[in-house]
Amino acid sequence: MEIKYSLISLLILATCAHAGNDLTLLPTRTNGYERNFNPFHNAVGSFFAQDFIYEPLWIFNVWHPEHDYPRLAESVEISSDYRSVTYHLRQGVKWSDGEDFNADDVVFTVDYARQHPEYAINIDLYDSETNSGLVNSVTKIDDYTVRFNLLLPNSLAHQSIGALYPLPEHIFSLIDNPAEFSNVSAVGTGPFTEVSQFHITHIKLCRNPYYYEADRLKIDCLRFPHYASNDHLWAAARRGKIDWMGQGIHDPKKQYTDFEPSNKVWLAPGANTNVQINTRRPPLDNVSFRQALSMALDRDEMLVKDTFGLTSPTPWPVGTGPGYSSWYVSRALQPYQYLMEYNPERAKKLLDQAGFVDADGDGWRDGLKGQSIDIGIAVPGSWTDWFNVVLTMVENFKAIGVNAHVEGMDAQKWFERMPTGDFDMYMMWTNPGITPWKIYSELFDPNGMVVGKLSSQAMNQFRSGKMERLLQEFTETGDLAKQQSLMTEMQVIVAENMPILSLFANPIWYEYNDGQYTGWVTEDNPYVRPQVHMGVPERLIHLLNLRPVKK
């Protein structure tokens, strides 16, 4: 697609280049920036494009579900039979090139997702071949009203559909291969769309000249610096050169807050960290083998030493952390408590009973067919806490006779490798929702288990017809007691089959400098989740609440 610059665009860029209120933030780490603002390119573009360039229909407030944030939609109607969800779109919104945003863009985005299944637009469409999916069709009611028609009743459909990031029809209708489209000069409805500066070491995005909440926006440009190493990053952060980031930290005072009074850290309890197990690859396809690995883990060492005492224990082997305590029924889960306890001797006995013995006398257990075992555990090398955890895991596995090794790599390669299916085990977070249903719907989504385009959450590739049925039944009722019963059944399936290893609840990594801006999320005012990372759309609300400090 040929890119043309109008006179007004050049004037806007010139203005942005000299803007006074710049916010410096770090939503990800890469080897160097690639000019790619494709909102669904998970290895590059979406870190910057989602929320800042492209907005969703709706932003859900995970911490305060009673106070959500309508964005491109102003209101929503859920039918009484849970068979459709209707959105009334915000009128007067324009794309950053001046074109109107309307229902045609939403309908186009859904149709485009169906035409390009390789392009990971976050909409769960019905697939006739697998007889699975949520959205059967979308209907334009009028220029600012769209109705999503569902395959089956679903009381939670809004939580999925509302997260859709619409694409501009007049741009993407000309793109035949969206997965390879770099989108170097993005056209969005979000607050920052103009690429003022781009270099392999920094990006500067400035104001959308047509942003519909321009009066609310008090920041002129976003600056995304690149740092070659952790040492360079922290040297800049300590001097107050980064306003907002989410980096792992083990001693906040010594590493950050003691250097400037405006350097602040709040590490609230966050989402669970699990190990995604490739259950399609021997010997990891054996449930007894997976159970033994869980009992081999010294989680106390991970909590106290490896993660510097900043993580929280996960009570049960079900993949969700302490944030969902109201959803745990102890009497149902107690039989599986042993899987979270450090017991290498019991792990050895289970492996012996299952036939995983040292068949060739080399000191390591072999597979059931005599094949050698050497399990790789993938982790970004620069994520110190997780890297420490994987070192402990390798030692724990070797202590029960299972050979294993660390697969450390840079974060960009780690992200790019996820969809391939070419791995044994992967350290991975979970994406919290209002209920644990969201986590399970992602962990066990069959649509996310296609090798070559595996989702980060479904890398375990564990298929369970019962789990999929329970997930569906959960959405067909609004009765809390019924939902609790269904959730307990799902938790038992996870505990019995161990497709993931539950480790601990990670802290929410959140560092900020309040020397230039006020309005930050704080422990006293936790109005949204405070992360700057992709996958936390509340970061847009956070940004819109920032105000320059009055000098």
Side-chain angles (χ1 to χ4, degrees), residues 109-141:
T109 302
V110 176
D111 291 341
Y112 198 61
R114 197 180 300 278
Q115 295 164 13
H116 298 280
E118 78 286 354
Y119 187 51
I121 296 173
N122 56 334
I123 185 75
D124 184 13
L125 296 173
Y126 171 64
D127 184 341
S128 59
E129 292 186 5
T130 61
N131 195 34
S132 64
L134 173 65
V135 176
N136 194 32
S137 63
V138 60
T139 303
K140 174 183 175 181
I141 306 301

Side-chain angles (χ1 to χ4, degrees), residues 11 13 71 153 225 242 278 343 362 365 399 434 507 518 539 544:
L11 290 173
L13 293 180
R71 298 311 301 164
I242 305 174
N278 187 345
N343 195 336
D362 67 351
R365 295 179 186 271
I434 296 170
T518 64
R539 64 183 180 171
L544 290 172

Side-chain angles (χ1 to χ4, degrees), residues 249-250 298-311 384-389 392 395 504:
I249 190 170
H250 64 270
D298 188 347
R299 292 176 174 84
D300 286 342
E301 181 172 356
M302 295 177 185
L303 290 166
V304 175
K305 293 179 60 179
D306 297 340
T307 60
F308 316 108
L310 300 175
T311 52
T384 306
D385 54 340
W386 278 16
F387 195 84
N388 291 344
V389 168
T392 294
E395 292 175 0
F504 46 76

